[in-house]
Every structure is written in C-alpha cells, then in structure tokens.
Amino acid sequence: MRAAVLERPAPASAGPLAVTSIPDPDPAPGELLLRVHACAVCRTDLQICEGDIEARRLPVVPGHQAVGTVEGVGDGVEDWSIGDRAGVAWLAGACGACSRCHAGRENLCEAAEFNGWDRDGGYAERLAVRAAFAHLLPADLDPVEAAPLLCGGIIGYRALRLSGIQPGGRLGLYGFGASARLALQVATHWGCEVFVATRSERDQQRALDLGAAWTGGTYDTPPAPLDAAVTFAPAGEVVVAALKAVDRGGTVAVNAIHLDRIPEFPYEHLWWERSLRSVANFTREDAREFLALAAEIPIRTETAVYPLEAANRALADLAAGRVEGAAVLRVD
C-alpha cells in the first residue's frame, strides 16, 4: 500500500516524509482494518515530523484524524461489520485498569498510546486500529469534511469544557487555526459571547463571519474581561496575554501538546483565583459527545485538500501559515 512514512524528523521545508510502498497491515485480535479515505493534517503531526515532539518510534506513519471504511475485523470484535464507516482519533488505546481509567480520565493513563505516534496512523491507504477506540460515523458523511473533527474538533471541545465556560459566558479564543474555528461554532451554539485574538487580519474577518463578537490582535485587550479563555497558539506569550484578559476567578485552558515556554509574568495576572490549566489529549466520551454535538449544530469545516503524495507540501504549508482551515490528505 502507499503510505507517507517518517523515518527521521526534519524541517517541513525539507520534506521529512517519504511517500513509498509498505506492506498492508493485518488486524490483530480486537482490531479493525480500515481502507482510508481521508486524513486531516494536525499541528501535532507537524511537531512530530519536525522533532519538536520526540518521536516514540521510527519509522512511523503519522496521522490521527482518519476516516475510513472497515475492510477487515480481527478476532473478538463484535460491534463492527465490514462496510462500516469509522473515524480514527488521537487516542489509540489505554490500559483500562489504572485509577485514571476507572475514573473516566483515560486521557491521563500512563500506558495510553496514540495513533501516528505510538502506532502507524492515517497517512496511508490502510490502517489497523483498536476497535474499542474507533468511532462509528454515518455512512453518508463526507470523509474530507469529517476528518478535521476527529482531533481539532474533539480537543477543542474538551478545552472549552476545562475552561469552565458556561452558556452565555464571555469567552476568549487565542489563535484561530482549524481547532479554534470549530470551538467558536460550539461556543456560539451555547450562546457565548466570543472574542477572538489573532495576529492575522484574514482570520479576524473569518472569526467575525463565524459569529465572533469581537476580534483583535494577539496582545490587544478585549473590550470586557473574559470569564474564560482557550489558547491554541503554541507560544507561551499568548498564554500570558490570555491570563491578563480573564476576569477574577477565570480560567485559561492551554490547548497545546507542545509549548515553547511561558515567560515570567507578574503574580497579579494570576491572583484573584485565576486558574491556568493544560489540556492533555481527550477521552472517548469527549469524542462521542462532540461528534453528536457537531451533527446537531451542524458544524462547518473549511478544508484544503491534498493528495497523499503531497503530504510534505501539506506540512510545509501548515508550518508557513498558508493553510486556510484544515489541511486534509485525500487518500482514495
């Protein structure tokens, strides 16, 4: 099968992926074999390919926002059938036995594995996934439209919940990439007043078109104190800007798996019971809730489509800020 394989991290401009032929995977007991239709390109993929996030295995096929059709069912799988449409997200497995798993916090399981990091992911024609961690999707759902929901959408939804924002509250979104665009649609559906801070004037206009009440530069002061904020940009200075903007008792949720550094800041920005918390992965329950909500709203995705052979170009465009919406590899 064709696959884009990472053998050694390198700058996106240098083309770290080799599009080549590798053997088809076989579904092990408890697994599904999917024929991949589309896989969205996440900034986490970029960070793994460039080495900002250390690879856990090499070579590896990146990708953790894949949509495919079930072609094979491993022994012991009872809830899936050939021909089902499945979505694959970041979380590939968890132990199911530790205190965190028992508490519904499998995203914090120390034995958790992740697609495109610990296991081969969706930048390929076929993909083997644990059946218990795949997500059943409607058969008529467009794969390209659905793929960005499977990471950016779900993690954005978890970030909103962890921020503590309530329906009708005043929310700040810092950075306006693919995940923030989906989070904005959820927040406006909840009746929130959403302020978007981004350096891109083009993205400021897009945010207004999607229902934002105000837009400004990354370090501009919103017109009113925020009840909560979510940062999407992988820069610590943005976290400080959001913290300065939240009201007493407000929370800043940092939606990033990798951050450069958080610079020193005055304690006054944190005082008055403001909170700063990270967002680490997501649970299957987050995925179920978000996918149901996305269908209810319904959420609109903006995509830039690339063939599998252009995976390096998709990474380079993402790194350079040239992607409007979410980059998606069309595999079939």
Side-chain angles (χ1 to χ4, degrees), residues 64 159 240 256 268 319:
H64 57 271
V240 177
E268 285 74 16

Side-chain angles (χ1 to χ4, degrees), residues 37-172:
H37 303 302
C39 186
V41 179
C42 181
R43 185 161 293 275
T44 300
D45 300 338
L46 174 64
Q47 291 167 335
I48 292 171
C49 289
E50 291 197 314
D52 290 329
I53 298 173
E54 185 176 357
R56 289 190 172 178
R57 52 167 285 200
L58 291 172
V60 68
V61 178
H64 57 271
Q65 303 180 85
V67 178
T69 297
V70 177
E71 281 194 338
V73 178
D75 292 343
V77 176
E78 298 180 352
D79 298 333
W80 290 87
S81 301
I82 303 296
D84 284 344
R85 179 65 56 85
V88 177
W90 175 235
L91 185 64
C95 75
C98 68
S99 60
R100 295 181 181 90
C101 285
H102 283 305
R105 305 175 76 190
E106 61 189 8
N107 61 304
L108 303 182
C109 174
E110 293 188 16
E113 292 186 334
F114 303 95
N115 291 304
W117 197 19
D118 298 290
R119 295 170 58 97
D120 282 340
Y123 290 15
E125 291 181 313
R126 286 176 175 78
L127 170 63
V129 297
R130 291 187 173 96
F133 287 83
H135 306 281
L136 184 65
L137 300 176
D140 59 351
L141 193 61
D142 185 302
V144 170
E145 297 293 322
L149 302 177
L150 292 164
C151 180
I154 303 170
I155 195 70
Y157 170 74
R158 182 173 181 85
L160 291 177
R161 291 202 303 106
L162 293 184
S163 77
I165 190 65
Q166 298 296 310
R170 189 177 294 121
L171 173 71

Side-chain angles (χ1 to χ4, degrees), residues 8 24-25 48 88 126 153 225-226 228 237 241 244 285 291 302 319:
R8 184 174 61 184
D24 285 3
I48 292 171
V88 177
R126 286 176 175 78
L226 307 174
E237 291 182 349
K244 290 169 63 176
E285 183 60 27
L291 291 172
E302 299 176 65

